[in-house]
Coordinates of all heavy atoms in Angstrom, one line a residue:
M187 N 147.4 -160.2 16.5 CA 148.8 -160.0 16.5 C 149.4 -160.2 17.9 O 150.6 -160.6 18.0 CB 149.0 -158.5 16.1 CG 150.5 -158.1 15.9 SD 151.3 -159.1 14.7 CE 152.8 -158.3 14.5
G188 N 148.6 -160.0 18.9 CA 149.0 -160.2 20.3 C 149.5 -161.6 20.6 O 150.5 -161.8 21.3
Y189 N 148.9 -162.6 20.0 CA 149.3 -164.0 20.2 C 150.5 -164.3 19.4 O 151.3 -165.2 19.8 CB 148.1 -164.9 19.9 CG 147.0 -164.8 21.0 CD1 145.9 -164.1 20.8 CD2 147.2 -165.5 22.2 CE1 144.9 -164.0 21.8 CE2 146.2 -165.4 23.2 CZ 145.1 -164.6 23.0 OH 144.1 -164.5 24.0
V190 N 150.8 -163.6 18.4 CA 152.0 -163.8 17.6 C 153.2 -163.3 18.5 O 154.2 -164.0 18.6 CB 152.0 -163.1 16.2 CG1 153.3 -163.2 15.5 CG2 150.9 -163.7 15.4
T191 N 153.1 -162.1 19.0 CA 154.1 -161.6 19.9 C 154.3 -162.4 21.1 O 155.4 -162.6 21.6 CB 153.9 -160.1 20.3 OG1 152.7 -160.0 20.9 CG2 154.0 -159.2 19.0
L192 N 153.2 -163.0 21.6 CA 153.3 -163.9 22.8 C 154.0 -165.1 22.5 O 154.9 -165.6 23.3 CB 151.9 -164.2 23.3 CG 151.8 -165.1 24.5 CD1 152.5 -164.5 25.7 CD2 150.3 -165.3 24.9
A193 N 153.8 -165.7 21.3 CA 154.6 -166.9 20.9 C 156.1 -166.6 20.8 O 156.9 -167.4 21.2 CB 154.1 -167.4 19.5
G194 N 156.4 -165.4 20.3 CA 157.8 -165.0 20.2 C 158.4 -164.8 21.6 O 159.5 -165.2 21.9
A195 N 157.6 -164.3 22.5 CA 158.0 -164.1 23.9 C 158.3 -165.4 24.6 O 159.3 -165.6 25.3 CB 157.0 -163.3 24.7
I196 N 157.4 -166.4 24.3 CA 157.6 -167.7 24.9 C 158.9 -168.4 24.3 O 159.7 -168.9 25.0 CB 156.4 -168.6 24.6 CG1 155.2 -168.1 25.4 CG2 156.7 -170.1 24.9 CD1 153.9 -168.7 24.9
A197 N 159.1 -168.3 23.0 CA 160.2 -168.9 22.3 C 161.5 -168.2 22.9 O 162.5 -169.0 23.2 CB 160.2 -168.7 20.8
A198 N 161.5 -166.9 23.1 CA 162.7 -166.3 23.6 C 163.0 -166.7 25.0 O 164.2 -166.9 25.4 CB 162.6 -164.7 23.5
E199 N 161.9 -166.8 25.8 CA 162.1 -167.2 27.2 C 162.6 -168.6 27.3 O 163.5 -168.9 28.1 CB 160.8 -167.1 28.0 CG 160.9 -167.3 29.5 CD 160.7 -168.7 29.9 OE1 160.0 -169.5 29.2 OE2 161.2 -169.1 30.9
V200 N 162.1 -169.5 26.5 CA 162.6 -170.9 26.5 C 164.0 -171.0 26.0 O 164.8 -171.7 26.6 CB 161.6 -171.8 25.6 CG1 162.2 -173.2 25.4 CG2 160.3 -171.9 26.3
A201 N 164.4 -170.2 25.0 CA 165.8 -170.2 24.5 C 166.7 -169.7 25.6 O 167.8 -170.2 25.9 CB 165.9 -169.4 23.3
A202 N 166.3 -168.6 26.3 CA 167.1 -168.0 27.4 C 167.3 -169.0 28.5 O 168.4 -169.1 29.1 CB 166.4 -166.7 27.9
T203 N 166.2 -169.7 28.9 CA 166.3 -170.6 30.0 C 167.2 -171.8 29.7 O 168.0 -172.2 30.5 CB 164.9 -171.1 30.5 OG1 164.2 -169.9 30.9 CG2 165.0 -172.0 31.7
T204 N 167.1 -172.3 28.4 CA 167.9 -173.4 28.0 C 169.4 -172.9 27.9 O 170.3 -173.7 28.4 CB 167.5 -173.8 26.6 OG1 166.1 -174.2 26.7 CG2 168.3 -175.0 26.1
A205 N 169.7 -171.7 27.4 CA 171.0 -171.2 27.4 C 171.6 -171.0 28.8 O 172.8 -171.2 29.0 CB 171.0 -169.9 26.6
M206 N 170.7 -170.7 29.8 CA 171.2 -170.6 31.1 C 171.8 -171.9 31.6 O 172.8 -171.9 32.3 CB 170.0 -170.1 32.0 CG 170.5 -169.7 33.4 SD 169.2 -169.3 34.6 CE 168.3 -168.1 33.7
K207 N 171.1 -173.0 31.3 CA 171.7 -174.3 31.7 C 173.1 -174.5 31.1 O 174.0 -175.0 31.8 CB 170.7 -175.4 31.2 CG 171.2 -176.8 31.5 CD 171.2 -177.2 32.9 CE 171.5 -178.7 33.1 NZ 171.6 -179.1 34.4
Y208 N 173.2 -174.1 29.8 CA 174.5 -174.3 29.2 C 175.6 -173.2 29.7 O 176.8 -173.4 29.4 CB 174.4 -174.1 27.7 CG 173.7 -175.3 27.0 CD1 172.5 -175.2 26.5 CD2 174.4 -176.5 26.9 CE1 171.9 -176.3 25.9 CE2 173.8 -177.7 26.4 CZ 172.5 -177.5 25.8 OH 172.0 -178.6 25.2
S209 N 175.1 -172.2 30.4 CA 176.1 -171.2 30.8 C 176.9 -171.6 32.0 O 177.9 -171.0 32.4 CB 175.3 -169.9 31.2 OG 174.7 -170.0 32.5
H210 N 176.5 -172.7 32.6 CA 177.2 -173.3 33.8 C 177.4 -172.2 34.9 O 178.5 -171.9 35.3 CB 178.5 -173.9 33.4 CG 178.3 -175.2 32.7 ND1 178.1 -176.4 33.3 CD2 178.2 -175.4 31.3 CE1 177.9 -177.3 32.4 NE2 178.0 -176.8 31.2
G211 N 176.3 -171.6 35.3 CA 176.3 -170.6 36.4 C 176.9 -169.3 35.9 O 177.6 -168.6 36.6
F212 N 176.7 -169.0 34.6 CA 177.2 -167.8 34.0 C 178.7 -167.7 33.9 O 179.3 -166.7 34.0 CB 176.6 -166.5 34.6 CG 175.2 -166.4 34.5 CD1 174.3 -166.5 35.6 CD2 174.6 -166.2 33.3 CE1 173.0 -166.4 35.5 CE2 173.2 -166.1 33.2 CZ 172.4 -166.2 34.3
T213 N 179.4 -168.9 33.8 CA 180.8 -169.0 33.7 C 181.2 -169.1 32.2 O 182.4 -169.0 31.9 CB 181.4 -170.1 34.5 OG1 180.9 -171.4 34.0 CG2 181.1 -170.0 36.0
R214 N 180.3 -169.3 31.3 CA 180.6 -169.4 29.9 C 179.9 -168.2 29.2 O 178.7 -167.9 29.3 CB 180.0 -170.7 29.3 CG 180.8 -171.9 29.9 CD 180.3 -173.2 29.2 NE 181.1 -174.3 29.7 CZ 180.8 -175.5 29.5 NH1 179.6 -175.8 28.9 NH2 181.5 -176.5 29.9
L215 N 180.8 -167.5 28.4 CA 180.3 -166.2 27.9 C 179.1 -166.3 26.9 O 178.1 -165.6 27.1 CB 181.5 -165.5 27.1 CG 181.2 -164.2 26.4 CD1 180.8 -163.1 27.4 CD2 182.4 -163.7 25.6
W216 N 179.2 -167.1 25.9 CA 178.2 -167.1 24.9 C 176.8 -167.5 25.4 O 175.8 -166.8 25.1 CB 178.6 -167.8 23.6 CG 179.7 -167.1 22.9 CD1 181.0 -167.4 22.8 CD2 179.6 -165.8 22.3 NE1 181.8 -166.5 22.2 CE2 180.9 -165.4 21.8 CE3 178.6 -164.9 22.1 CZ2 181.2 -164.3 21.2 CZ3 178.9 -163.7 21.4 CH2 180.2 -163.4 21.0
P217 N 176.7 -168.6 26.1 CA 175.4 -169.0 26.6 C 174.9 -167.9 27.6 O 173.7 -167.7 27.7 CB 175.7 -170.3 27.4 CG 176.9 -170.9 26.7 CD 177.7 -169.7 26.3
S218 N 175.8 -167.2 28.3 CA 175.4 -166.2 29.3 C 174.8 -165.0 28.5 O 173.8 -164.4 28.9 CB 176.6 -165.7 30.1 OG 177.1 -166.8 30.9
L219 N 175.4 -164.6 27.4 CA 174.9 -163.6 26.6 C 173.6 -163.9 25.9 O 172.6 -163.1 25.9 CB 175.9 -163.2 25.5 CG 177.2 -162.5 26.0 CD1 178.2 -162.3 24.8 CD2 176.9 -161.2 26.7
V220 N 173.4 -165.2 25.5 CA 172.1 -165.6 24.9 C 171.1 -165.6 26.0 O 169.9 -165.2 25.7 CB 172.3 -167.0 24.3 CG1 170.9 -167.6 23.9 CG2 173.2 -167.0 23.1
T221 N 171.4 -165.9 27.2 CA 170.4 -165.9 28.3 C 169.9 -164.4 28.5 O 168.7 -164.2 28.6 CB 171.1 -166.4 29.6 OG1 171.4 -167.8 29.4 CG2 170.1 -166.3 30.8
A222 N 170.9 -163.5 28.6 CA 170.5 -162.1 28.9 C 169.7 -161.6 27.7 O 168.6 -160.9 27.9 CB 171.8 -161.3 29.1
L223 N 170.1 -161.8 26.5 CA 169.4 -161.3 25.3 C 168.0 -161.9 25.2 O 167.0 -161.2 24.9 CB 170.2 -161.5 24.1 CG 169.6 -161.1 22.8 CD1 169.4 -159.6 22.8 CD2 170.4 -161.5 21.6
G224 N 168.0 -163.2 25.5 CA 166.7 -163.9 25.4 C 165.6 -163.4 26.4 O 164.5 -163.2 26.0
Y225 N 166.1 -163.1 27.6 CA 165.1 -162.5 28.6 C 164.7 -161.1 28.2 O 163.6 -160.7 28.4 CB 165.7 -162.6 30.0 CG 165.5 -164.0 30.6 CD1 166.7 -164.7 31.0 CD2 164.3 -164.6 30.7 CE1 166.6 -166.0 31.5 CE2 164.2 -165.9 31.2 CZ 165.3 -166.6 31.6 OH 165.2 -167.8 32.1
V226 N 165.6 -160.3 27.7 CA 165.3 -158.9 27.3 C 164.3 -159.0 26.1 O 163.2 -158.3 26.1 CB 166.5 -158.1 26.8 CG1 166.2 -156.9 26.1 CG2 167.4 -157.8 28.0
V227 N 164.5 -159.9 25.1 CA 163.6 -160.0 24.0 C 162.2 -160.5 24.5 O 161.2 -160.0 24.2 CB 164.1 -160.9 22.9 CG1 163.1 -161.3 21.9 CG2 165.3 -160.3 22.3
S228 N 162.3 -161.5 25.4 CA 161.0 -162.1 25.9 C 160.2 -161.1 26.6 O 159.0 -161.0 26.4 CB 161.4 -163.3 26.9 OG 160.2 -163.9 27.3
F229 N 160.8 -160.3 27.6 CA 160.0 -159.3 28.3 C 159.5 -158.2 27.4 O 158.4 -157.7 27.6 CB 160.8 -158.8 29.5 CG 160.8 -159.8 30.7 CD1 162.0 -160.4 31.0 CD2 159.7 -160.1 31.4 CE1 162.0 -161.3 32.1 CE2 159.7 -161.0 32.4 CZ 160.8 -161.6 32.8
S230 N 160.3 -157.8 26.4 CA 159.9 -156.8 25.5 C 158.7 -157.3 24.7 O 157.7 -156.5 24.5 CB 161.0 -156.5 24.5 OG 162.1 -155.9 25.2
L231 N 158.7 -158.5 24.2 CA 157.6 -159.0 23.4 C 156.4 -159.2 24.3 O 155.2 -159.0 23.9 CB 158.0 -160.3 22.7 CG 159.0 -160.2 21.6 CD1 159.4 -161.5 21.0 CD2 158.4 -159.3 20.4
L232 N 156.6 -159.7 25.5 CA 155.5 -159.9 26.5 C 154.8 -158.5 26.8 O 153.6 -158.4 26.8 CB 156.0 -160.5 27.8 CG 154.9 -160.8 28.8 CD1 153.8 -161.7 28.2 CD2 155.5 -161.4 30.1
S233 N 155.6 -157.5 26.9 CA 155.0 -156.1 27.2 C 154.2 -155.7 26.0 O 153.2 -155.0 26.1 CB 156.1 -155.1 27.5 OG 156.9 -154.8 26.4
Q234 N 154.6 -156.0 24.8 CA 153.9 -155.6 23.6 C 152.6 -156.4 23.5 O 151.5 -155.9 23.1 CB 154.7 -155.9 22.3 CG 155.9 -154.9 22.1 CD 155.5 -153.5 22.1 OE1 154.6 -153.1 21.4 NE2 156.1 -152.7 23.0
T235 N 152.7 -157.7 23.9 CA 151.5 -158.5 24.0 C 150.4 -158.0 24.8 O 149.2 -158.0 24.5 CB 151.9 -159.9 24.5 OG1 152.8 -160.5 23.6 CG2 150.6 -160.9 24.6
L236 N 150.8 -157.4 26.0 CA 149.8 -156.8 26.9 C 149.0 -155.7 26.4 O 148.0 -155.3 27.1 CB 150.6 -156.5 28.2 CG 151.2 -157.7 29.0 CD1 151.9 -157.2 30.2 CD2 150.2 -158.8 29.3
K237 N 149.4 -155.1 25.3 CA 148.6 -154.0 24.7 C 147.3 -154.6 24.2 O 146.3 -153.8 24.1 CB 149.4 -153.4 23.5 CG 150.6 -152.6 24.0 CD 151.3 -152.0 22.8 CE 152.5 -151.2 23.2 NZ 153.2 -150.6 22.0
T238 N 147.2 -155.9 23.8 CA 146.0 -156.4 23.2 C 145.5 -157.7 23.8 O 144.4 -158.1 23.5 CB 146.3 -156.8 21.7 OG1 147.4 -157.7 21.6 CG2 146.6 -155.5 20.9
V239 N 146.3 -158.3 24.7 CA 145.8 -159.5 25.4 C 145.8 -159.2 26.9 O 146.7 -158.6 27.4 CB 146.8 -160.7 25.1 CG1 146.4 -161.9 25.8 CG2 146.9 -160.9 23.6
G240 N 144.8 -159.7 27.6 CA 144.7 -159.5 29.0 C 145.9 -160.1 29.8 O 146.4 -161.1 29.4
I241 N 146.2 -159.4 30.8 CA 147.4 -159.8 31.6 C 147.3 -161.2 32.1 O 148.3 -161.9 32.1 CB 147.8 -158.7 32.7 CG1 149.2 -159.0 33.2 CG2 146.7 -158.7 33.7 CD1 149.7 -157.8 34.1
G242 N 146.2 -161.5 32.7 CA 146.0 -162.9 33.2 C 146.2 -163.9 32.2 O 146.9 -164.9 32.4
T243 N 145.6 -163.7 31.1 CA 145.6 -164.7 30.0 C 147.1 -164.8 29.4 O 147.6 -165.9 29.3 CB 144.7 -164.3 28.8 OG1 143.3 -164.4 29.3 CG2 144.8 -165.3 27.7
A244 N 147.7 -163.6 29.1 CA 149.0 -163.6 28.6 C 150.0 -164.2 29.5 O 150.8 -165.1 29.1 CB 149.4 -162.1 28.3
Y245 N 150.0 -163.9 30.8 CA 150.9 -164.4 31.7 C 150.7 -165.9 31.9 O 151.7 -166.7 32.0 CB 150.9 -163.7 33.0 CG 152.1 -164.1 33.9 CD1 153.4 -163.6 33.6 CD2 151.9 -165.0 35.0 CE1 154.5 -164.0 34.4 CE2 153.0 -165.4 35.7 CZ 154.3 -164.9 35.4 OH 155.3 -165.3 36.2
A246 N 149.5 -166.4 32.0 CA 149.2 -167.8 32.1 C 149.8 -168.6 31.0 O 150.4 -169.6 31.1 CB 147.7 -168.0 32.3
I247 N 149.6 -168.1 29.8 CA 150.1 -168.8 28.6 C 151.6 -168.7 28.5 O 152.3 -169.7 28.3 CB 149.5 -168.2 27.3 CG1 148.0 -168.4 27.2 CG2 150.2 -168.7 26.0 CD1 147.2 -167.6 26.2
W248 N 152.2 -167.6 28.8 CA 153.6 -167.4 28.7 C 154.3 -168.3 29.7 O 155.2 -169.0 29.4 CB 153.9 -165.9 29.0 CG 155.4 -165.5 29.0 CD1 156.2 -165.4 27.9 CD2 156.2 -165.3 30.1 NE1 157.5 -165.0 28.3 CE2 157.5 -165.0 29.7 CE3 156.0 -165.3 31.5 CZ2 158.6 -164.6 30.5 CZ3 157.1 -165.0 32.3 CH2 158.3 -164.7 31.8
S249 N 153.8 -168.2 31.0 CA 154.5 -169.0 32.0 C 154.2 -170.5 31.9 O 155.1 -171.4 32.1 CB 154.2 -168.5 33.4 OG 152.8 -168.6 33.6
G250 N 152.9 -170.8 31.5 CA 152.5 -172.2 31.5 C 153.2 -173.0 30.3 O 153.8 -174.1 30.5
I251 N 153.1 -172.4 29.1 CA 153.7 -173.1 28.0 C 155.3 -173.1 28.1 O 155.9 -174.0 27.8 CB 153.3 -172.4 26.7 CG1 151.8 -172.7 26.4 CG2 154.1 -172.9 25.5 CD1 151.2 -172.0 25.2
G252 N 155.8 -172.0 28.6 CA 157.3 -171.9 28.9 C 157.7 -173.0 29.8 O 158.7 -173.7 29.6
T253 N 157.0 -173.2 30.9 CA 157.3 -174.2 31.9 C 157.2 -175.6 31.3 O 158.1 -176.4 31.5 CB 156.4 -174.1 33.1 OG1 156.6 -172.8 33.7 CG2 156.7 -175.2 34.2
A254 N 156.1 -175.9 30.6 CA 156.0 -177.2 30.0 C 157.1 -177.4 28.9 O 157.6 -178.5 28.9 CB 154.6 -177.3 29.3
A255 N 157.4 -176.4 28.1 CA 158.4 -176.6 27.1 C 159.8 -176.9 27.8 O 160.5 -177.7 27.3 CB 158.5 -175.3 26.2
I256 N 160.1 -176.1 28.8 CA 161.4 -176.4 29.5 C 161.4 -177.8 30.1 O 162.5 -178.4 30.1 CB 161.7 -175.3 30.6 CG1 162.0 -174.0 29.9 CG2 162.7 -175.7 31.5 CD1 163.3 -174.0 29.0
A257 N 160.3 -178.2 30.6 CA 160.3 -179.6 31.2 C 160.6 -180.6 30.1 O 161.3 -181.6 30.3 CB 158.9 -179.9 31.9
V258 N 160.0 -180.4 28.9 CA 160.2 -181.4 27.8 C 161.7 -181.3 27.4 O 162.3 -182.3 27.1 CB 159.2 -181.1 26.7 CG1 159.6 -181.9 25.4 CG2 157.8 -181.4 27.1
L259 N 162.2 -180.1 27.2 CA 163.6 -179.9 26.8 C 164.5 -180.5 27.9 O 165.6 -181.1 27.5 CB 163.9 -178.4 26.6 CG 163.3 -177.8 25.3 CD1 163.6 -176.3 25.3 CD2 163.9 -178.5 24.1
G260 N 164.2 -180.4 29.1 CA 165.0 -181.1 30.2 C 165.1 -182.6 29.9 O 166.1 -183.2 30.1
L261 N 164.0 -183.2 29.5 CA 164.0 -184.6 29.2 C 164.8 -184.9 27.9 O 165.6 -185.8 27.9 CB 162.5 -185.1 28.9 CG 161.5 -185.0 30.0 CD1 160.1 -185.2 29.5 CD2 161.9 -185.9 31.1
L262 N 164.6 -184.1 26.9 CA 165.3 -184.4 25.6 C 166.7 -184.0 25.6 O 167.6 -184.7 25.0 CB 164.5 -183.6 24.5 CG 163.1 -184.0 24.3 CD1 162.4 -183.1 23.2 CD2 163.0 -185.5 23.9
L263 N 167.1 -182.8 26.1 CA 168.5 -182.4 26.0 C 169.4 -182.7 27.2 O 170.6 -182.9 27.0 CB 168.5 -180.8 25.9 CG 167.8 -180.2 24.7 CD1 167.8 -178.7 24.7 CD2 168.4 -180.7 23.4
F264 N 168.8 -182.9 28.4 CA 169.6 -183.0 29.6 C 169.4 -184.4 30.3 O 169.9 -184.6 31.4 CB 169.4 -181.9 30.5 CG 169.6 -180.5 29.9 CD1 168.5 -179.6 29.6 CD2 170.9 -180.2 29.4 CE1 168.8 -178.4 29.0 CE2 171.1 -178.9 28.8 CZ 170.0 -178.1 28.6
G265 N 168.6 -185.2 29.7 CA 168.4 -186.6 30.2 C 167.7 -186.6 31.6 O 167.8 -187.5 32.3
E266 N 166.9 -185.6 31.9 CA 166.1 -185.6 33.1 C 165.1 -186.7 33.1 O 164.5 -187.0 32.1 CB 165.5 -184.2 33.3 CG 166.5 -183.1 33.5 CD 165.9 -181.7 33.7 OE1 164.7 -181.6 33.7 OE2 166.7 -180.8 33.9
A267 N 164.8 -187.2 34.3 CA 163.8 -188.3 34.4 C 162.4 -187.9 34.1 O 162.0 -186.8 34.5 CB 163.9 -188.9 35.8
L268 N 161.6 -188.7 33.5 CA 160.2 -188.5 33.3 C 159.5 -189.3 34.3 O 159.4 -190.6 34.3 CB 159.8 -188.9 31.9 CG 158.3 -188.8 31.5 CD1 157.9 -187.3 31.6 CD2 158.0 -189.3 30.2
T269 N 158.9 -188.6 35.3 CA 158.2 -189.3 36.4 C 156.7 -189.0 36.2 O 156.3 -188.1 35.6 CB 158.7 -188.8 37.8 OG1 158.3 -187.4 37.9 CG2 160.2 -189.0 37.9
L270 N 155.9 -189.8 36.9 CA 154.5 -189.6 36.9 C 154.1 -188.3 37.5 O 153.3 -187.6 37.0 CB 153.8 -190.7 37.7 CG 152.3 -190.7 37.7 CD1 151.7 -190.8 36.3 CD2 151.7 -191.9 38.5
T271 N 154.9 -187.9 38.5 CA 154.6 -186.6 39.1 C 154.9 -185.4 38.1 O 154.2 -184.5 38.0 CB 155.5 -186.4 40.4 OG1 155.3 -187.5 41.3 CG2 155.3 -185.1 41.1
K272 N 156.0 -185.5 37.4 CA 156.3 -184.5 36.4 C 155.3 -184.4 35.3 O 154.8 -183.4 34.9 CB 157.7 -184.8 35.8 CG 158.2 -183.7 34.9 CD 159.6 -183.9 34.4 CE 160.6 -183.6 35.5 NZ 162.0 -183.6 35.1
V273 N 154.8 -185.6 34.8 CA 153.8 -185.6 33.8 C 152.5 -185.0 34.3 O 151.8 -184.2 33.7 CB 153.5 -187.1 33.3 CG1 152.3 -187.1 32.4 CG2 154.7 -187.6 32.6
A274 N 152.1 -185.3 35.6 CA 150.9 -184.8 36.2 C 151.0 -183.3 36.3 O 150.1 -182.5 36.0 CB 150.7 -185.4 37.5
G275 N 152.2 -182.8 36.7 CA 152.4 -181.4 36.8 C 152.3 -180.6 35.5 O 151.6 -179.6 35.4
I276 N 152.9 -181.2 34.5 CA 152.8 -180.5 33.1 C 151.3 -180.5 32.7 O 150.8 -179.5 32.2 CB 153.7 -181.3 32.1 CG1 155.2 -181.0 32.5 CG2 153.4 -180.8 30.7 CD1 156.1 -181.9 31.7
L277 N 150.6 -181.6 32.9 CA 149.2 -181.7 32.5 C 148.4 -180.7 33.3 O 147.5 -180.0 32.7 CB 148.7 -183.1 32.7 CG 149.2 -184.1 31.7 CD1 148.7 -185.5 32.0 CD2 148.9 -183.8 30.2
L278 N 148.7 -180.5 34.5 CA 147.9 -179.5 35.3 C 148.2 -178.1 34.9 O 147.3 -177.2 34.8 CB 148.3 -179.6 36.8 CG 147.7 -180.9 37.5 CD1 148.3 -181.0 38.9 CD2 146.2 -180.7 37.6
I279 N 149.4 -177.8 34.5 CA 149.8 -176.5 33.9 C 149.0 -176.2 32.7 O 148.4 -175.2 32.5 CB 151.3 -176.4 33.7 CG1 152.1 -176.3 35.0 CG2 151.6 -175.1 32.8 CD1 153.6 -176.5 34.9
V280 N 149.0 -177.2 31.7 CA 148.3 -177.0 30.5 C 146.8 -176.9 30.7 O 146.2 -176.0 30.1 CB 148.6 -178.2 29.5 CG1 147.7 -178.2 28.3 CG2 150.1 -178.2 29.1
A281 N 146.3 -177.7 31.6 CA 144.8 -177.5 32.0 C 144.5 -176.2 32.5 O 143.5 -175.6 32.2 CB 144.4 -178.6 33.0
G282 N 145.4 -175.6 33.4 CA 145.2 -174.3 33.9 C 145.2 -173.2 32.8 O 144.3 -172.3 32.8
V283 N 146.1 -173.3 31.9 CA 146.1 -172.4 30.8 C 144.8 -172.5 29.9 O 144.2 -171.5 29.6 CB 147.3 -172.6 29.9 CG1 147.3 -171.8 28.6 CG2 148.6 -172.2 30.7
V284 N 144.4 -173.7 29.7 CA 143.1 -173.9 28.9 C 141.9 -173.3 29.7 O 141.1 -172.6 29.1 CB 142.9 -175.4 28.6 CG1 141.5 -175.7 28.1 CG2 144.0 -175.9 27.7
V285 N 141.8 -173.6 30.9 CA 140.7 -173.0 31.7 C 140.7 -171.5 31.7 O 139.7 -170.9 31.5 CB 140.8 -173.5 33.2 CG1 139.8 -172.8 34.1 CG2 140.5 -175.0 33.2
L286 N 141.9 -170.9 31.8 CA 141.9 -169.4 31.8 C 141.5 -168.9 30.4 O 140.9 -167.9 30.3 CB 143.3 -168.9 32.1 CG 143.6 -168.9 33.6 CD1 145.1 -168.6 33.9 CD2 142.8 -167.8 34.3
N287 N 141.9 -169.6 29.4 CA 141.6 -169.1 28.0 C 140.1 -169.4 27.7 O 139.5 -168.6 26.9 CB 142.4 -169.8 27.0 CG 143.8 -169.1 26.9 OD1 143.9 -167.9 26.6 ND2 144.8 -169.9 27.1
V288 N 139.5 -170.4 28.2 CA 138.1 -170.7 27.9 C 137.2 -169.7 28.6 O 136.2 -169.3 28.0 CB 137.8 -172.2 28.3 CG1 136.3 -172.4 28.2 CG2 138.5 -173.1 27.4
G289 N 137.5 -169.3 29.8 CA 136.5 -168.4 30.4 C 137.0 -167.7 31.6 O 136.3 -166.9 32.2
G290 N 138.2 -168.0 32.1 CA 138.5 -167.4 33.4 C 139.3 -166.1 33.4 O 139.3 -165.5 34.4
A291 N 139.8 -165.7 32.3 CA 140.7 -164.5 32.3 C 140.3 -163.5 31.2 O 141.1 -163.0 30.5 CB 142.1 -164.9 32.2
H292 N 139.0 -163.1 31.1 CA 138.6 -162.2 30.1 C 139.0 -160.8 30.4 O 138.9 -160.2 31.3 CB 137.1 -162.2 29.9 CG 136.7 -163.5 29.2 ND1 136.9 -163.7 27.8 CD2 136.1 -164.6 29.6 CE1 136.4 -164.9 27.5 NE2 136.0 -165.4 28.6

């Protein structure tokens, strides 16, 4: 169940960060509200996750997958450039999450 709540925490964080871009510096009401609500939901679900999943593992997955997802959404929604450096960074993040899950964060 911990990984289900973690997936929800990641989804809420990604939605909140995406809405933040649309808020234009918190000058637009609805995207600003989605941002605030998304972060509240994300942290609430992450705190529930920590009841059953180790903090190192949970945080690595939450931040790593969230970061990679936002990078991909930046490409798809906002036309950000895909550079070799960006691809390498995303791959390193994913590799770090895998390493922690395989044996580094029990």
Side-chain angles (χ1 to χ4, degrees):
M187 186 63 169
Y189 288 99
V190 172
T191 57
L192 183 56
I196 293 166
E199 188 270 334
V200 169
T203 302
T204 303
M206 189 185 306
K207 174 73 172 174
Y208 286 111
S209 79
H210 291 274
F212 297 114
T213 60
R214 294 185 174 164
L215 177 63
W216 292 109
S218 298
L219 291 175
V220 170
T221 299
L223 179 62
Y225 282 120
V226 167
V227 170
S228 181
F229 283 112
S230 296
L231 291 173
L232 183 59
S233 72
Q234 293 302 309
T235 299
L236 297 179
K237 291 179 180 179
T238 58
V239 178
I241 191 169
T243 299
Y245 190 74
I247 294 170
W248 181 77
S249 62
I251 292 176
T253 300
I256 287 297
V258 169
L259 287 173
L261 298 169
L262 298 175
L263 297 177
F264 306 113
E266 295 178 359
L268 180 62
T269 64
L270 185 57
T271 304
K272 190 175 282 190
V273 170
I276 292 169
L277 291 174
L278 286 169
I279 290 167
V280 172
V283 169
V284 170
V285 168
L286 281 171
N287 279 302
V288 168
H292 287 285

